[in-house]
Amino acid sequence: MNIRNKLILIGLAASAAAPQPAAAQTAAASFTAGGKISDTAGGEVGTITSVDGDYVIVKTDKHEVRLPKTSFTSHEGGFLMGMTRDQLNAAVEQSLAAAAAKIVVGAAVSGAQGAPLGTIDALDDQFATIKLGSGKLARLPRNALAAGPNGIVIGMTVAEIEAAVGASTDGGSAEAPAQ
C-alpha cells in the first residue's frame, strides 16, 4: 500500500468510523487475520487481512482499508460494523478521488519529515515532476505523492531527494526512486 493510500485511509477511518459504547467494544472476539466483518443486517463487508496495533486492515471486494478497532462490535465470533460493503467502498473511492484532486500543478510538496520540498511543476498519467527549492527537477511516479493535511507529501526527505537529483548526470533533472 503506497503512502497516499495509507494517509487517505487514516483520514477515512477517522471520519467514517462511529465509536462504539465501551460496553459494546470487542472484548469477546479477538482481531486476527481471517476474521469476518459483517454489517448490522448480516451482509458481508470483508475480511481482516492484518492487525496493526489499534487498527485492522479489512479487505472488501475492491479495497483494503485501515480502520480503528473501535469501528467494530464483537458478535458471534466475528465483528459487526455500521457500514455495508458498498458504503465502505464508496467512502474509500470518494476519499481517493478527493485526495487525487489535490495533486495539481503548482501544489506545494513537503518531504517525509514535513519540510517544504518544492512545487509540482508538471503532471501526466504516470509521473509528477517536482521543482525543488534548489531549482532542480525531480521526476517521481505519480503514486509516490499523497495529499496530506498541509498539502502534498512524498516518502523522501529533502536531503534524500536532493541527493538523488544530485547524483544524476543530466544537469539537474533526475528520476528519483519512489519510497
Side-chain angles (χ1 to χ4, degrees):
M1 188 178 305
N2 65 40
I3 188 171
R4 174 178 43 202
N5 288 344
K6 287 179 183 176
L7 291 172
I8 293 167
L9 296 179
I10 290 168
L12 172 65
S15 65
Q20 301 294 322
Q25 289 185 7
T26 58
S30 65
F31 291 99
T32 58
K36 300 296 180 194
I37 307 295
S38 301
D39 61 37
T40 56
E44 180 182 336
V45 174
T47 304
I48 297 172
T49 59
S50 64
V51 179
D52 179 16
D54 290 334
Y55 295 86
V56 295
I57 310 302
V58 176
K59 173 78 171 114
T60 70
D61 60 334
K62 295 181 180 180
H63 301 284
E64 282 194 329
V65 185
R66 184 177 187 252
L67 297 169
K69 289 179 178 179
T70 57
S71 299
F72 308 96
T73 299
S74 177
H75 181 71
E76 297 178 0
F79 297 95
L80 296 177
M81 74 176 297
M83 297 175 85
T84 66
R85 177 178 56 206
D86 290 342
Q87 289 170 331
L88 183 57
N89 283 335
V92 171
E93 289 160 8
Q94 181 179 16
S95 212
L96 290 171
K102 293 179 181 179
I103 300 174
V104 295
V105 171
V109 179
S110 297
Q113 296 175 341
L117 187 71
T119 59
I120 298 176
D121 189 60
L123 286 169
D124 64 31
D125 289 342
Q126 295 181 351
F127 294 96
T129 302
I130 310 300
K131 185 171 187 175
L132 304 177
S134 65
K136 296 177 183 176
L137 300 175
R139 187 170 182 238
L140 300 169
R142 192 173 178 137
N143 67 1
L145 282 70
N150 299 317
I152 308 305
V153 296
I154 66 169
M156 298 174 76
T157 65
V158 174
E160 289 169 335
I161 198 158
E162 284 284 354
V165 171
S168 72
T169 59
D170 66 13
S173 178
E175 190 163 310
Q179 295 290 318

